[in-house]
Amino acid sequence: PATLAAAIAMSVAEIVGGELCATRPLPPLPNVARMGLGAILGWACHLGRNGPGGWWVLKLIQLRFGPDVVVPDIAGWRKTRMPRRPDTAYLSLAPDWVCEVL
Protein backbone atom coordinates (compact mmCIF):
# COMPACT_ATOMS: atom_id res chain seq x y z
CA PRO A 1 0.00 0.00 0.00
CA ALA A 2 1.00 3.61 -0.60
CA THR A 3 0.90 4.36 3.14
CA LEU A 4 3.40 1.59 3.91
CA ALA A 5 5.68 2.70 1.08
CA ALA A 6 5.60 6.29 2.37
CA ALA A 7 6.41 5.13 5.91
CA ILE A 8 9.35 3.04 4.70
CA ALA A 9 10.65 5.92 2.56
CA MET A 10 10.56 8.24 5.58
CA SER A 11 12.28 5.76 7.93
CA VAL A 12 15.93 6.04 8.84
CA ALA A 13 17.92 2.82 8.54
CA GLU A 14 21.08 2.27 10.55
CA ILE A 15 23.45 -0.68 10.88
CA VAL A 16 24.85 -1.16 14.36
CA GLY A 17 26.87 -4.23 15.33
CA GLY A 18 25.76 -6.01 12.17
CA GLU A 19 22.05 -5.45 12.94
CA LEU A 20 19.79 -3.45 10.64
CA CYS A 21 17.76 -0.97 12.70
CA ALA A 22 14.96 1.11 11.21
CA THR A 23 13.50 4.03 13.11
CA ARG A 24 10.21 5.67 12.40
CA PRO A 25 10.02 9.38 11.66
CA LEU A 26 9.65 11.66 14.66
CA PRO A 27 6.14 12.74 15.59
CA PRO A 28 5.36 16.42 14.88
CA LEU A 29 6.34 17.95 18.24
CA PRO A 30 9.82 16.34 18.55
CA ASN A 31 10.38 16.98 14.84
CA VAL A 32 9.67 20.68 15.37
CA ALA A 33 12.11 20.62 18.31
CA ARG A 34 14.81 19.03 16.14
CA MET A 35 14.27 21.56 13.36
CA GLY A 36 14.35 24.48 15.81
CA LEU A 37 17.45 23.23 17.59
CA GLY A 38 19.17 22.65 14.26
CA ALA A 39 18.33 26.21 13.17
CA ILE A 40 19.56 27.77 16.42
CA LEU A 41 22.78 25.76 16.41
CA GLY A 42 23.28 26.45 12.72
CA TRP A 43 23.06 30.20 13.25
CA ALA A 44 25.20 30.25 16.40
CA CYS A 45 27.80 27.57 15.74
CA HIS A 46 27.85 27.18 11.98
CA LEU A 47 27.44 30.82 10.96
CA GLY A 48 28.75 32.48 14.15
CA ARG A 49 25.67 34.66 14.67
CA ASN A 50 25.14 35.21 18.42
CA GLY A 51 27.39 32.25 19.08
CA PRO A 52 30.93 30.94 18.82
CA GLY A 53 31.02 29.94 15.14
CA GLY A 54 33.72 27.57 13.97
CA TRP A 55 31.49 24.50 13.57
CA TRP A 56 29.77 22.57 10.81
CA VAL A 57 26.32 21.59 12.08
CA LEU A 58 24.46 18.98 10.01
CA LYS A 59 21.10 17.27 10.45
CA LEU A 60 20.46 13.62 9.57
CA ILE A 61 23.88 13.04 8.01
CA GLN A 62 24.92 9.44 7.42
CA LEU A 63 28.06 8.42 9.33
CA ARG A 64 29.99 5.28 8.43
CA PHE A 65 32.41 3.69 10.86
CA GLY A 66 33.62 0.39 9.45
CA PRO A 67 30.56 -1.82 9.07
CA ASP A 68 28.37 0.49 11.19
CA VAL A 69 26.14 3.14 9.64
CA VAL A 70 24.42 5.65 11.94
CA VAL A 71 22.33 8.75 11.28
CA PRO A 72 22.21 11.15 14.26
CA ASP A 73 19.50 13.81 14.40
CA ILE A 74 22.09 16.60 14.63
CA ALA A 75 25.88 16.38 14.61
CA GLY A 76 28.65 18.96 14.77
CA TRP A 77 32.30 19.07 13.77
CA ARG A 78 34.80 21.74 14.73
CA LYS A 79 36.08 23.43 11.61
CA THR A 80 39.61 22.94 12.96
CA ARG A 81 39.08 19.15 12.50
CA MET A 82 37.02 19.36 9.31
CA PRO A 83 38.07 22.60 7.60
CA ARG A 84 35.83 22.25 4.53
CA ARG A 85 32.10 21.76 4.29
CA PRO A 86 31.49 18.13 3.37
CA ASP A 87 30.07 17.48 -0.10
CA THR A 88 29.70 13.71 0.13
CA ALA A 89 26.62 11.59 0.85
CA TYR A 90 28.17 10.30 4.08
CA LEU A 91 31.05 11.03 6.45
CA SER A 92 33.52 8.73 8.19
CA LEU A 93 35.01 11.38 10.50
CA ALA A 94 33.45 11.06 13.95
CA PRO A 95 31.60 14.21 15.02
CA ASP A 96 32.73 16.29 17.99
CA TRP A 97 29.13 16.60 19.16
CA VAL A 98 25.94 14.59 18.57
CA CYS A 99 22.31 15.19 19.53
CA GLU A 100 19.43 12.72 19.40
CA VAL A 101 15.91 14.09 19.85
CA LEU A 102 13.65 11.77 21.83
Side-chain angles (χ1 to χ4, degrees):
T3 309
L4 177 59
I8 291 170
M10 292 174 46
S11 295
V12 173
E14 299 177 304
I15 301 171
V16 180
E19 300 258 345
L20 177 62
C21 307
T23 56
R24 295 192 317 239
L26 286 174
L29 188 57
N31 193 33
V32 168
R34 176 181 59 199
M35 290 172 51
L37 182 58
I40 290 168
L41 290 171
W43 277 96
C45 298
H46 181 87
L47 298 174
R49 302 221 167 81
N50 297 322
W55 288 75
W56 296 113
V57 178
L58 303 170
K59 292 185 284 184
L60 298 173
I61 186 75
Q62 187 180 100
L63 304 175
R64 295 183 185 180
F65 306 116
D68 294 335
V69 179
V70 295
V71 183
D73 287 330
I74 306 170
W77 291 259
R78 290 184 181 101
K79 289 183 180 177
T80 54
R81 286 189 55 232
M82 188 168 66
R84 294 190 192 133
R85 180 177 50 92
D87 62 354
T88 57
Y90 67 90
L91 296 174
S92 56
L93 178 64
D96 295 299
W97 181 84
V98 172
C99 174
E100 289 291 334
V101 177
L102 304 176

mmCIF file of all heavy atoms in Angstrom, residues 35-59 74 79:
data_model
loop_
_atom_site.group_PDB
_atom_site.id
_atom_site.type_symbol
_atom_site.label_atom_id
_atom_site.label_comp_id
_atom_site.label_asym_id
_atom_site.label_seq_id
_atom_site.Cartn_x
_atom_site.Cartn_y
_atom_site.Cartn_z
ATOM 1 N N MET A 35 14.077 20.516 14.377
ATOM 2 C CA MET A 35 14.269 21.556 13.359
ATOM 3 C C MET A 35 14.676 22.877 14.012
ATOM 4 O O MET A 35 15.580 23.563 13.539
ATOM 5 C CB MET A 35 12.995 21.726 12.542
ATOM 6 C CG MET A 35 12.711 20.543 11.630
ATOM 7 S SD MET A 35 11.102 20.613 10.810
ATOM 8 C CE MET A 35 11.092 22.240 10.102
ATOM 9 N N GLY A 36 14.019 23.232 15.127
ATOM 10 C CA GLY A 36 14.351 24.478 15.815
ATOM 11 C C GLY A 36 15.750 24.469 16.386
ATOM 12 O O GLY A 36 16.500 25.433 16.254
ATOM 13 N N LEU A 37 16.115 23.358 17.023
ATOM 14 C CA LEU A 37 17.453 23.234 17.592
ATOM 15 C C LEU A 37 18.507 23.292 16.495
ATOM 16 O O LEU A 37 19.526 23.968 16.627
ATOM 17 C CB LEU A 37 17.577 21.933 18.381
ATOM 18 C CG LEU A 37 18.903 21.684 19.076
ATOM 19 C CD1 LEU A 37 19.221 22.809 20.047
ATOM 20 C CD2 LEU A 37 18.871 20.341 19.787
ATOM 21 N N GLY A 38 18.242 22.599 15.381
ATOM 22 C CA GLY A 38 19.174 22.649 14.259
ATOM 23 C C GLY A 38 19.351 24.064 13.727
ATOM 24 O O GLY A 38 20.458 24.494 13.403
ATOM 25 N N ALA A 39 18.259 24.824 13.658
ATOM 26 C CA ALA A 39 18.334 26.205 13.166
ATOM 27 C C ALA A 39 19.128 27.086 14.129
ATOM 28 O O ALA A 39 20.003 27.856 13.719
ATOM 29 C CB ALA A 39 16.930 26.762 12.967
ATOM 30 N N ILE A 40 18.844 26.960 15.428
ATOM 31 C CA ILE A 40 19.559 27.771 16.425
ATOM 32 C C ILE A 40 21.047 27.452 16.410
ATOM 33 O O ILE A 40 21.895 28.349 16.382
ATOM 34 C CB ILE A 40 18.970 27.533 17.829
ATOM 35 C CG1 ILE A 40 17.573 28.149 17.912
ATOM 36 C CG2 ILE A 40 19.873 28.109 18.910
ATOM 37 C CD1 ILE A 40 16.794 27.725 19.137
ATOM 38 N N LEU A 41 21.372 26.154 16.418
ATOM 39 C CA LEU A 41 22.785 25.758 16.406
ATOM 40 C C LEU A 41 23.454 26.157 15.097
ATOM 41 O O LEU A 41 24.625 26.527 15.077
ATOM 42 C CB LEU A 41 22.915 24.255 16.635
ATOM 43 C CG LEU A 41 22.568 23.782 18.036
ATOM 44 C CD1 LEU A 41 22.521 22.263 18.086
ATOM 45 C CD2 LEU A 41 23.550 24.327 19.050
ATOM 46 N N GLY A 42 22.723 26.053 14.009
ATOM 47 C CA GLY A 42 23.275 26.454 12.722
ATOM 48 C C GLY A 42 23.667 27.917 12.715
ATOM 49 O O GLY A 42 24.756 28.283 12.284
ATOM 50 N N TRP A 43 22.768 28.769 13.211
ATOM 51 C CA TRP A 43 23.064 30.204 13.252
ATOM 52 C C TRP A 43 24.229 30.502 14.183
ATOM 53 O O TRP A 43 25.142 31.246 13.832
ATOM 54 C CB TRP A 43 21.833 30.990 13.700
ATOM 55 C CG TRP A 43 20.890 31.260 12.587
ATOM 56 C CD1 TRP A 43 19.787 30.528 12.256
ATOM 57 C CD2 TRP A 43 20.976 32.307 11.620
ATOM 58 N NE1 TRP A 43 19.185 31.060 11.148
ATOM 59 C CE2 TRP A 43 19.884 32.156 10.740
ATOM 60 C CE3 TRP A 43 21.870 33.353 11.420
ATOM 61 C CZ2 TRP A 43 19.665 33.015 9.676
ATOM 62 C CZ3 TRP A 43 21.636 34.216 10.358
ATOM 63 C CH2 TRP A 43 20.551 34.037 9.502
ATOM 64 N N ALA A 44 24.205 29.911 15.394
ATOM 65 C CA ALA A 44 25.203 30.248 16.405
ATOM 66 C C ALA A 44 26.556 29.595 16.154
ATOM 67 O O ALA A 44 27.593 30.251 16.247
ATOM 68 C CB ALA A 44 24.683 29.850 17.789
ATOM 69 N N CYS A 45 26.543 28.324 15.845
ATOM 70 C CA CYS A 45 27.796 27.572 15.739
ATOM 71 C C CYS A 45 28.328 27.495 14.319
ATOM 72 O O CYS A 45 29.525 27.605 14.087
ATOM 73 C CB CYS A 45 27.605 26.166 16.299
ATOM 74 S SG CYS A 45 27.169 26.158 18.044
ATOM 75 N N HIS A 46 27.443 27.312 13.375
ATOM 76 C CA HIS A 46 27.854 27.177 11.977
ATOM 77 C C HIS A 46 28.179 28.547 11.375
ATOM 78 O O HIS A 46 29.223 28.744 10.772
ATOM 79 C CB HIS A 46 26.716 26.489 11.208
ATOM 80 C CG HIS A 46 26.977 26.246 9.765
ATOM 81 N ND1 HIS A 46 27.610 25.116 9.320
ATOM 82 C CD2 HIS A 46 26.687 26.984 8.670
ATOM 83 C CE1 HIS A 46 27.695 25.165 7.994
ATOM 84 N NE2 HIS A 46 27.139 26.276 7.594
ATOM 85 N N LEU A 47 27.266 29.500 11.571
ATOM 86 C CA LEU A 47 27.442 30.818 10.961
ATOM 87 C C LEU A 47 28.056 31.856 11.894
ATOM 88 O O LEU A 47 28.425 32.930 11.460
ATOM 89 C CB LEU A 47 26.090 31.327 10.448
ATOM 90 C CG LEU A 47 25.442 30.462 9.365
ATOM 91 C CD1 LEU A 47 24.042 30.973 9.044
ATOM 92 C CD2 LEU A 47 26.300 30.441 8.112
ATOM 93 N N GLY A 48 28.135 31.547 13.208
ATOM 94 C CA GLY A 48 28.747 32.478 14.148
ATOM 95 C C GLY A 48 27.875 33.666 14.496
ATOM 96 O O GLY A 48 28.371 34.688 14.953
ATOM 97 N N ARG A 49 26.577 33.566 14.324
ATOM 98 C CA ARG A 49 25.667 34.657 14.666
ATOM 99 C C ARG A 49 25.155 34.436 16.084
ATOM 100 O O ARG A 49 24.477 33.461 16.355
ATOM 101 C CB ARG A 49 24.513 34.706 13.680
ATOM 102 C CG ARG A 49 25.025 34.872 12.264
ATOM 103 C CD ARG A 49 24.172 35.847 11.478
ATOM 104 N NE ARG A 49 24.827 36.251 10.238
ATOM 105 C CZ ARG A 49 24.834 35.553 9.114
ATOM 106 N NH1 ARG A 49 24.246 34.388 9.065
ATOM 107 N NH2 ARG A 49 25.424 36.022 8.045
ATOM 108 N N ASN A 50 25.497 35.344 17.006
ATOM 109 C CA ASN A 50 25.136 35.212 18.423
ATOM 110 C C ASN A 50 25.657 33.912 19.021
ATOM 111 O O ASN A 50 25.017 33.311 19.875
ATOM 112 C CB ASN A 50 23.620 35.317 18.624
ATOM 113 C CG ASN A 50 23.085 36.674 18.223
ATOM 114 O OD1 ASN A 50 23.728 37.682 18.457
ATOM 115 N ND2 ASN A 50 21.937 36.695 17.594
ATOM 116 N N GLY A 51 26.793 33.475 18.563
ATOM 117 C CA GLY A 51 27.390 32.247 19.081
ATOM 118 C C GLY A 51 28.851 32.167 18.674
ATOM 119 O O GLY A 51 29.388 33.080 18.057
ATOM 120 N N PRO A 52 29.489 31.052 19.008
ATOM 121 C CA PRO A 52 30.929 30.945 18.817
ATOM 122 C C PRO A 52 31.395 30.775 17.376
ATOM 123 O O PRO A 52 32.534 31.098 17.049
ATOM 124 C CB PRO A 52 31.294 29.697 19.624
ATOM 125 C CG PRO A 52 30.051 28.860 19.576
ATOM 126 C CD PRO A 52 28.912 29.849 19.586
ATOM 127 N N GLY A 53 30.558 30.249 16.496
ATOM 128 C CA GLY A 53 31.023 29.939 15.140
ATOM 129 C C GLY A 53 32.061 28.840 15.176
ATOM 130 O O GLY A 53 32.317 28.220 16.205
ATOM 131 N N GLY A 54 32.652 28.550 14.037
ATOM 132 C CA GLY A 54 33.724 27.569 13.975
ATOM 133 C C GLY A 54 33.294 26.116 13.919
ATOM 134 O O GLY A 54 34.102 25.233 14.162
ATOM 135 N N TRP A 55 32.012 25.872 13.619
ATOM 136 C CA TRP A 55 31.491 24.504 13.569
ATOM 137 C C TRP A 55 30.741 24.282 12.279
ATOM 138 O O TRP A 55 30.163 25.207 11.711
ATOM 139 C CB TRP A 55 30.499 24.270 14.713
ATOM 140 C CG TRP A 55 31.112 24.174 16.066
ATOM 141 C CD1 TRP A 55 31.597 25.195 16.827
ATOM 142 C CD2 TRP A 55 31.291 22.998 16.838
ATOM 143 N NE1 TRP A 55 32.063 24.717 18.016
ATOM 144 C CE2 TRP A 55 31.879 23.375 18.049
ATOM 145 C CE3 TRP A 55 30.998 21.655 16.616
ATOM 146 C CZ2 TRP A 55 32.194 22.452 19.054
ATOM 147 C CZ3 TRP A 55 31.302 20.740 17.611
ATOM 148 C CH2 TRP A 55 31.902 21.142 18.814
ATOM 149 N N TRP A 56 30.712 23.024 11.835
ATOM 150 C CA TRP A 56 29.775 22.567 10.815
ATOM 151 C C TRP A 56 28.683 21.815 11.556
ATOM 152 O O TRP A 56 28.981 20.867 12.279
ATOM 153 C CB TRP A 56 30.435 21.632 9.803
ATOM 154 C CG TRP A 56 31.511 22.260 8.993
ATOM 155 C CD1 TRP A 56 32.846 21.966 9.031
ATOM 156 C CD2 TRP A 56 31.365 23.282 8.012
ATOM 157 N NE1 TRP A 56 33.530 22.750 8.148
ATOM 158 C CE2 TRP A 56 32.639 23.573 7.498
ATOM 159 C CE3 TRP A 56 30.275 23.996 7.515
ATOM 160 C CZ2 TRP A 56 32.861 24.529 6.520
ATOM 161 C CZ3 TRP A 56 30.497 24.952 6.542
ATOM 162 C CH2 TRP A 56 31.767 25.210 6.051
ATOM 163 N N VAL A 57 27.454 22.228 11.416
ATOM 164 C CA VAL A 57 26.320 21.588 12.079
ATOM 165 C C VAL A 57 25.428 20.997 10.995
ATOM 166 O O VAL A 57 24.942 21.720 10.117
ATOM 167 C CB VAL A 57 25.528 22.596 12.940
ATOM 168 C CG1 VAL A 57 24.323 21.927 13.582
ATOM 169 C CG2 VAL A 57 26.441 23.206 14.002
ATOM 170 N N LEU A 58 25.226 19.674 11.039
ATOM 171 C CA LEU A 58 24.456 18.982 10.009
ATOM 172 C C LEU A 58 23.358 18.143 10.641
ATOM 173 O O LEU A 58 23.549 17.559 11.702
ATOM 174 C CB LEU A 58 25.379 18.083 9.182
ATOM 175 C CG LEU A 58 26.561 18.787 8.508
ATOM 176 C CD1 LEU A 58 27.512 17.762 7.925
ATOM 177 C CD2 LEU A 58 26.063 19.737 7.445
ATOM 178 N N LYS A 59 22.220 18.082 9.973
ATOM 179 C CA LYS A 59 21.098 17.269 10.450
ATOM 180 C C LYS A 59 20.985 16.022 9.582
ATOM 181 O O LYS A 59 21.129 16.085 8.363
ATOM 182 C CB LYS A 59 19.790 18.063 10.376
ATOM 183 C CG LYS A 59 19.746 19.223 11.360
ATOM 184 C CD LYS A 59 18.400 19.915 11.355
ATOM 185 C CE LYS A 59 18.283 20.785 10.128
ATOM 186 N NZ LYS A 59 17.068 21.575 10.073
ATOM 187 N N ILE A 74 21.247 15.431 14.872
ATOM 188 C CA ILE A 74 22.092 16.603 14.628
ATOM 189 C C ILE A 74 23.510 16.232 15.043
ATOM 190 O O ILE A 74 23.708 15.584 16.068
ATOM 191 C CB ILE A 74 21.622 17.828 15.442
ATOM 192 C CG1 ILE A 74 20.143 18.137 15.189
ATOM 193 C CG2 ILE A 74 22.477 19.060 15.126
ATOM 194 C CD1 ILE A 74 19.560 19.170 16.132
ATOM 195 N N LYS A 79 35.458 23.152 12.910
ATOM 196 C CA LYS A 79 36.080 23.428 11.613
ATOM 197 C C LYS A 79 37.596 23.228 11.670
ATOM 198 O O LYS A 79 38.218 23.031 10.634
ATOM 199 C CB LYS A 79 35.730 24.839 11.140
ATOM 200 C CG LYS A 79 34.281 24.955 10.719
ATOM 201 C CD LYS A 79 33.965 26.330 10.179
ATOM 202 C CE LYS A 79 32.501 26.419 9.776
ATOM 203 N NZ LYS A 79 32.151 27.769 9.301
#
